[in-house]
Amino acid sequence: MFRTCDITGLKVDLRAERLIQLNAVMAVVSLLIGVIAALLLVLTRWQVVHLLPAEWYYRVLTLHGLNALIFWIVFFEIAGLYFGSTVVLNSRMSSPKFGWLALTLMVLGFLLVNYTILTGNADVLMTSYAPLQAHSLYYLGVILFAVGALVGVFLFFANLLIARKERTYGDSLPLFTFGLVAAAIIATLTLATGAVIYIPTLLWSLGIIKTMDAGVYKLVWWGLGHSSQQINVTAMIAIWYLGAFLTVGGTSINEKVSRLAFVFYVIGINVASAHHLLVDPGPSPAWKVFNTSYVMYIAVLASMIHAFAVPSAVESAQRRRGFTKGLFDWLKNAPWGNPAFSAVFLSIIIFGFIGGVTGVVNGMEQTNIIVHNTLSIPGHFKGTVVGGTTLAFMGATYYLIPLIFRKKIAFFGLAKLQPWVFGGGISLLAVSMYILGAFGVPRRHYDITFSGGPFTYTFNPATDFFWVLFAIGGIVTVIGALMWILIVVFSVFFGQSVRGPQDMQLQIASPPPPAKEHHGFEAPGTLTLTLLFMGVFLIFLLLNWGWLAAMWEVR
Amino acid sequence: MALLPPEEGWYFKRVAKDEKMWIAIALVVCLALFFWMIVWHVYGKQNPSFTTYRTTPQEFNALTQAFIQKYKIGEEKGIPVVEPPPNSDVFLLGKMWAWEPILVLKKGQEYRFHISSLDLLHGFSLQPVNMNFMVFPGYDYVLTFRPTSTGEFYIVCNEFCGIGHHMMIGKIIVKE
Ligand SMILES: [Cu+2]
C-alpha cells in the first residue's frame, strides 16, 4: 500500500498517489480547454482580427470561464488536498473509494457543463445571472461537480483525523497543510452556498419554481463566486510557503504570524463577496461599507502579512547562507534556474502589485463606480487568479512531476523559461486590460464599435495602443501556458523515470545554518520591497479617488 | 517549515521588529481606507445607491411611457427624445437590446433617475465619464445625478444580456 520516497523519505500511499495523479490530469485537460478558448477570445476582442461571430464569442467566453477559473483550479486543489493530507503527513488515504466517487462526480459535472456550453445550451457566462437561463443539464453539471469537490474536501478532513490519531506527524500540522485546512474550511462554506443557489436555479430551469429574484440570486451567487476565489488565494499562499521551503529552505520568521494570517482568511471570507454588489440597487450603503471594510481589515491585512512573511522567509534563509551584502544580495543569489522558485516569486509580485492594488480600488464602495463591469475587472483577476494562483500551481507542478509522477521534467531548459513567459505575458495582459477598463471599455462585450446598434461610440483613441498590448500579452500568455502543458504532458506520458535522488533536476534545499544573534532587521530587503509596494498602492488609490471626484455628481 | 511540523516553542517566539512594523503600517492603512469610505459619504459627491423600490417590469414600463408622453420633444432613430425639467423624476428603461428614452438634461441641475430593466440584468455604463451601475428587473434603482459636463454621452450596456448585447447603446445629451 505504501512506497517510501527515496528523495524525501516520506511514505506515499499508492492509492492516494493514483487519485492525486488523476485529479492533476483532469486539471491539465481543463486548463488546455481554457487556454484554447482564451486564444480565440483575445483574437476576437482585438477588433483588428475580430475572429469569432457574436454567439460563439459569448459561448467560448462561458467555456473559458468555467474551465480556466473553476475546473482547472478545483481539480488541482483536490489533488493538492490529497497530497497535503497524506504524503506530507506521512499518512494514509482515509477512503480511496470515496476518492473515486468524488472524481467520478467531478468528471461527470465537467462533461455535462462543457457539453451544454458547446451545444449552445448554456450561453450564460460564468456568472449565469438569473433570469438569464441555461439548460437544466448545465445547472446539474455544476451541482455534480460541486458535490464531488465537497466529497474531496471531506476526505481531506478525514485524512487529517486519521493522521492525527495515528500520530504520523508531530504535535502541530506543517504550515503547508495548515494553509490547506484554511482553504478547505472556506471551500466547505463556499460549496454549501453554491448548493443554496444552484439547487433552486435547477428547479427553476425545470419549471418547478416559477420565478428567480435577480437581486437575491446575485447576492447568494457571489457567496459562492468570490469565496471560491479565496480558496484559490489560500491554496496559492500555502504553495508560496511550500515553494520557499523546497527551493531555499526558507521558513517563516515567525510561524505564529503566518498561521494567524491564515485564520484571518477563514474569518474574513463570508462577507468578502460584498464588493461585487457595490453598485447594485439592493444592498444599502451601510451594508456595503461595513462588508467591504470588514474585508479590508481582515482579508487584505492577511494578504499583506503573507506578502511579507513569504519573501522574508526566503531572505532570512539566504542571509543565513551568507548572502548578506546589501539589501538584495539574497535575491540576486536566489535559485533563479529553478522554475518553481521563479514561478513562486513572480506569483508573489504579480499577485501583490497587479492583483492586490487593483483589488482594493474595486473593493471600495465609491471607486467601484469607475471599474464595475469594465475590462478592469477581468484585468484585476488576471493578476490574482492567473498571474497569482495559476502561476503558483504551475511552479508546484515542477516538484509534483518527479515526486508524485516519478518522471523527470522534459525540456528542462524550456521549463526554466516558462514562468517568465507566462508571468510576463499575463502581466502585460492584466495591466492593459485594467487600463482599457479605465477608459470605459466594457467586459463581456463582443463589438466595441457597437455595429448594429442605434448609435456608435468611439472610445478614447489611446485605447488602440492598449488593445495591441492586450493582444501581445494574451498571445504570450497562451504560449507560456502551452509550454507548460507541453512539458507536463510530455514528462508524464513519455518522460524518463526518476530512479532516485540523482535524477532530481530541482533542488530540495537543506535547512540553512541557524541564525546568529544579531540586532536590527530580520529581512530589510523584504521590508524595502513591501514599503515600495505600499507606496505604489497609495499612489494608485490617490489617482483613482482624484479621478472619481472629477465625475458627474451622483448620490 | 512548510513541510515539517514547526520547531519546538514556535508559539512563543517573538515577532521580529520589521514584521511588527509592517503589520502596524498595513493595519493603519486598512483602517484609514475604511474611514475614508464613510468620510466620502459626508463630504464626497459621488456615492452609489441612494434609494431602491421594488417594482415590476409592467409597472415600470407604464411609468416610463407616462414620463415619455409628458416630456417628449422629438424622436431619433425611432427612440423618443425627452427633456424633463430640472429636479424632476427621470425614467430610464433597459431592455434587450435598447435603452429608452434619449434624455436631454441641463448641466449643473439635479435629476432623480429611476433605472430598471424589463427582462434581464443590464449594466448602465455612462461614457465617456465612465460611471457604472447595475440595472435589475424588479428593482427601481433611484440615483440622483448632477451632470457636470456638457455634450453627448452614451449609455453602454456592460452586463451580458444575450446575443445582441453589444448593440445595446443609449444616449444622453447635456446642454448648457
Ligand atoms: Cu443589456
Side-chain angles (χ1 to χ4, degrees), chain A residues 174-331:
Chain A
L175 184 58
F176 172 66
T177 308
F178 186 84
L180 292 183
V181 172
I185 293 172
I186 300 167
T188 310
L189 297 171
T190 300
L191 293 166
T193 322
V196 170
I197 198 61
Y198 272 103
I199 290 172
T201 312
L202 173 67
L203 297 177
W204 169 66
S205 71
L206 288 166
I208 297 168
I209 293 178
K210 288 288 165 251
T211 51
M212 285 292 283
D213 183 90
V216 175
Y217 175 93
K218 193 163 178 257
L219 175 78
V220 185
W221 196 91
W222 279 111
L224 159 81
H226 198 84
S227 338
S228 70
Q229 297 319 308
Q230 300 290 16
I231 311 172
N232 306 341
V233 170
T234 313
M236 169 188 78
I237 287 172
I239 287 180
W240 287 357
Y241 283 110
L242 180 69
F245 181 71
L246 287 174
T247 56
V248 298
T251 56
S252 302
I253 294 181
N254 196 308
E255 277 218 28
K256 186 168 52 182
V257 173
S258 298
R259 283 170 195 251
L260 187 67
F262 276 123
V263 174
F264 279 179
Y265 273 154
V266 177
I267 301 169
I269 292 322
N270 299 0
V271 288
S273 322
H275 64 268
H276 292 273
L277 313 174
L278 291 178
V279 294
D280 281 11
S284 71
W287 186 92
K288 290 171 179 174
V289 169
F290 174 74
N291 281 299
T292 48
S293 67
Y294 187 48
V295 180
M296 296 282 173
Y297 286 139
I298 301 182
V300 174
L301 183 62
S303 292
M304 294 212 218
I305 293 175
H306 291 304
F308 187 88
V310 179
S312 67
V314 174
E315 178 169 359
S316 146
Q318 288 282 83
R319 280 183 185 276
R320 274 142 61 194
R321 287 183 203 283
F323 301 112
T324 48
K325 263 185 283 144
L327 277 180
F328 296 114
D329 199 31
W330 60 278
L331 194 56

Side-chain angles (χ1 to χ4, degrees), chain A residues 213 253 281 297 365-366 523, chain B residues 13 18 31 41 47 52 54 139:
Chain A
D213 183 90
I253 294 181
Y297 286 139
E365 193 210 6
Q366 292 94 347
Chain B
K13 201 181 157 195
D18 32 357
L31 287 171
H41 271 275
N47 287 290
T52 298
R54 292 309 296 244
Y139 290 76

Side-chain angles (χ1 to χ4, degrees), chain B residues 95-97 99 121-123 157-161 165 168:
Chain B
K95 60 185 177 190
M96 291 152 91
W97 292 294
W99 295 101
L121 262 64
H122 297 287
C157 175
N158 66 4
E159 185 56 77
F160 174 68
C161 55
H165 165 53
M168 184 166 166

Side-chain angles (χ1 to χ4, degrees), chain B residues 33-49:
Chain B
L33 295 183
F34 165 54
F35 286 112
W36 183 245
M37 280 195 283
I38 299 170
V39 167
W40 199 265
H41 271 275
V42 182
Y43 298 104
K45 297 202 162 102
Q46 292 81 12
N47 287 290
S49 88

